[in-house]
Amino acid sequence: MKVEVELISKEIVKPSSPTPNHLRHYQLSFLDQLCPNTYNPLVFFYELNNHHDIREISNKIKKSLSEVLTLYYPLAGRVKNDRFVDCNDEGVSYTVARVNSTCHLSDAIKNPLPSELSKFLPFELLPTTEFALGVQLNIFEHGGIAIGLCISHKLGDALSCVVFAKTWVAVARGEANQLAHPEFVSATLFPFKDDHVFDPTPMATKKTITKRFVFDASTIEAIRLDYNCKAHIDDQPKRPSRVEALSAFIWNRFVAATKDEYLAECERGYTVVHPANLRPRLIPPLPDHSFGNLARCGVVILRSGEEKGCEVVKLIREGIRKLDMDYLRKVQQGEDEYMDLLLNYSKEITMKGGQYFTLCFTSLCRFPLYDTDFGWGQPTWVSSAALCFGNFVAFMDTKTGNGIEAYISLKEEQMAKLEADGDFLKAVSLVAAS
């Protein structure tokens, strides 16, 4: 269904308490430096009965947002020269919007379109505005709300966004004292590099189309069984995880669906990029409430592009295993050998007149997205939106936690070929297009 959203108010929410002077300068880290100027999006849908007053809900959202910003004070500041945040308490964007009367909440979440989901967000994902954080309260005339949240990727990764939301709703319920406060140690561990010139933002400017595909639990288990090549970790066999197996499956089906694009005599280059949370990999490990960009990518080079699913699973696993403490010590010195490997490999292929393809994955699976209860119940559904990156796949759990929703962003002609692939369509239980 077509969604129309009418903005009815806009204001700035500031922290309830001023940020102390000694915390006013928040230095970005080297890992923040490597991130593009985009927003991480989340949309939380809540079905409400007639006993809820929208004005009270809006006031509760604003009040709790103001209070949580005293803990997450960099989000209320302004990024300066992509180097540091002036934690000046200038505040975050808060907007209220009305959804067109013909659209019920049940309509919006039934086979939703990623491009329509973007209308529930306070900002376009690219480029970023002056605000590091924005919230939009969307009101459905026939009941229910959707809360759109955007956090600048320059300040935090996906886990940071989820933990922020978890803390925010705890504040709204009056339970903030039961949660650990955020820790800001990223720049200490990974110091900013003045001489680093890599800018990832142009990667996000290619015109793409996003579609949302749902894989149910039985299909995922069948793929895991099919790809169970007894890949070993610490000399022990371990089945492919849901995300490993689904990543390998999507990669294989994409290559099969688009192989006619490549000239037979042309050299080809293929890579799969898969991020991993660095917090548990550091020595000593960091807790989940460590705020910032604390993830790096395992890079897999596929020589033929047509490796079997179990082979791709092994390579993904090996690529992530290499993100060990030895690698992290190099990153702390301002070196990222795997990103350098990716860039040099793509340059080598293209300089030879070849064709190069990479597919990037990210996963929010097993994150506590459905624990975001402001006091009026758990969300009916939590979504992403249309992605601003091409060649990108984002995984999220279905509400039951057993299935996986995959948001896939590709060029339009490549997406059409993927959707025409019989094996891919057999595995998909639901699809929604941008």
Side-chain angles (χ1 to χ4, degrees):
M1 167 172 283
K2 185 74 172 177
V3 176
E4 297 296 340
V5 174
E6 178 189 2
L7 188 68
I8 57 179
S9 69
K10 184 175 183 177
E11 59 187 293
I12 292 177
V13 175
K14 298 185 177 184
S16 58
S17 300
T19 299
N21 286 334
H22 70 283
L23 298 178
R24 294 279 296 232
H25 183 96
Y26 176 77
Q27 180 64 54
L28 295 181
S29 73
F30 176 56
L31 300 187
D32 297 329
Q33 189 178 3
L34 294 175
C35 288
N37 282 309
T38 61
Y39 286 108
N40 290 310
L42 288 171
V43 186
F44 303 88
F45 292 86
Y46 300 88
E47 291 179 335
L48 304 179
N49 57 40
N50 294 330
H51 300 297
H52 290 88
D53 185 292
I54 291 297
R55 284 177 296 182
E56 289 182 4
I57 286 174
S58 181
N59 288 335
K60 186 172 190 177
I61 290 173
K62 287 193 294 182
K63 183 176 183 295
S64 57
L65 182 59
S66 177
E67 292 173 358
V68 79
L69 287 175
T70 64
L71 302 177
Y72 287 86
Y73 55 91
L75 294 176
R78 298 293 181 265
V79 176
K80 302 295 182 181
N81 302 319
D82 285 335
R83 298 177 59 88
F84 69 95
V85 181
D86 180 6
C87 303
N88 50 24
D89 298 332
E90 288 191 16
V92 303
S93 174
Y94 177 72
T95 53
V96 179
R98 182 184 295 111
V99 184
N100 56 297
S101 60
T102 58
C103 180
H104 296 237
L105 186 143
S106 57
D107 298 323
I109 66 177
K110 182 181 180 181
N111 197 22
L113 310 176
S115 59
E116 299 294 284
L117 295 172
S118 297
K119 297 177 181 179
F120 298 117
L121 297 172
F123 313 125
E124 292 185 2
L125 300 185
L126 178 73
T128 53
T129 70
E130 63 177 308
F131 298 103
L133 183 150
V135 173
Q136 181 165 304
L137 170 63
N138 302 276
I139 303 166
F140 290 87
E141 185 173 316
H142 303 283
I145 61 173
I147 299 176
L149 172 65
C150 284
I151 294 181
S152 171
H153 205 333
K154 274 293 180 187
L155 271 69
D157 56 17
L159 181 57
S160 293
C161 296
V162 174
V163 174
F164 168 82
K166 182 179 179 181
T167 307
W168 180 19
V169 298
V171 169
R173 297 194 307 265
E175 301 171 2
N177 59 344
Q178 299 179 22
L179 293 177
H181 290 187
E183 296 181 7
F184 303 98
V185 298
S186 182
T188 301
L189 295 173
F190 301 97
F192 191 92
K193 295 292 291 183
D194 286 318
D195 57 352
H196 190 78
V197 296
F198 174 64
D199 179 10
T201 303
M203 295 167 57
T205 60
K206 297 177 181 178
K207 182 173 177 57
T208 60
I209 182 171
T210 301
K211 294 200 175 186
R212 171 182 164 270
F213 303 91
V214 180
F215 298 84
D216 63 29
S218 60
T219 298
I220 296 171
E221 281 304 305
I223 295 172
R224 292 179 71 187
L225 181 63
D226 189 37
Y227 289 0
N228 187 14
C229 47
K230 298 183 179 180
H232 286 61
I233 288 185
D234 297 329
D235 296 324
Q236 295 296 321
K238 181 181 177 182
R239 293 180 64 213
S241 70
R242 298 184 312 149
V243 169
E244 286 173 342
L246 203 52
S247 299
F249 173 77
I250 291 172
W251 167 258
N252 281 153
R253 297 328 311 155
F254 177 83
V255 171
T258 60
K259 61 183 178 182
D260 61 330
E261 290 184 28
Y262 304 105
L263 300 175
E265 68 277 8
C266 184
E267 184 166 355
R268 308 172 190 178
Y270 303 91
T271 55
V272 173
V273 179
H274 227 294
N277 179 15
L278 298 184
R279 294 168 181 83
R281 296 171 181 272
L282 289 159
I283 301 175
L286 296 178
D288 284 349
H289 55 265
S290 300
F291 186 83
N293 286 290
L294 290 160
R296 288 317 297 142
C297 295
V299 177
V300 176
I301 293 178
L302 303 170
R303 296 298 175 182
S304 73
E306 298 180 0
E307 286 82 354
K308 294 180 180 179
C310 63
E311 294 176 276
V312 179
V313 167
K314 281 185 177 181
L315 290 169
I316 290 173
R317 187 171 287 175
E318 289 170 5
I320 291 177
R321 285 192 71 190
K322 290 178 182 178
L323 305 179
D324 55 15
M325 201 57 213
D326 288 338
Y327 161 77
L328 293 178
R329 290 190 185 96
K330 295 177 182 178
V331 177
Q332 288 174 330
Q333 297 168 7
E335 303 174 13
D336 192 333
E337 60 183 277
Y338 298 125
M339 289 307 295
D340 289 341
L341 174 67
L342 175 63
L343 292 171
N344 291 333
Y345 179 61
S346 62
K347 186 182 297 184
E348 176 187 345
I349 296 295
T350 53
M351 285 181 66
K352 293 178 180 178
Q355 293 173 297
Y356 171 77
F357 178 78
T358 186
L359 196 59
C360 299
F361 293 86
T362 189
S363 174
L364 278 72
C365 292
R366 304 308 189 199
F367 286 9
L369 292 170
Y370 286 90
D371 292 345
T372 46
D373 179 3
F374 285 87
W376 49 73
Q378 291 185 329
T380 304
W381 185 49
V382 182
S383 80
S384 182
L387 307 175
C388 57
F389 287 93
N391 300 350
F392 199 85
V393 180
F395 294 127
M396 299 178 72
D397 284 321
T398 57
K399 188 174 184 179
T400 62
N402 297 322
I404 290 180
E405 302 175 11
Y407 292 76
I408 303 179
S409 179
L410 298 169
K411 293 178 182 178
E412 191 168 354
E413 60 272 20
Q414 292 175 333
M415 184 67 76
K417 291 176 181 178
L418 179 65
E419 287 190 291
D421 180 76
D423 289 342
F424 181 78
L425 289 181
K426 286 178 186 176
V428 174
S429 58
L430 188 66
V431 56
S434 172

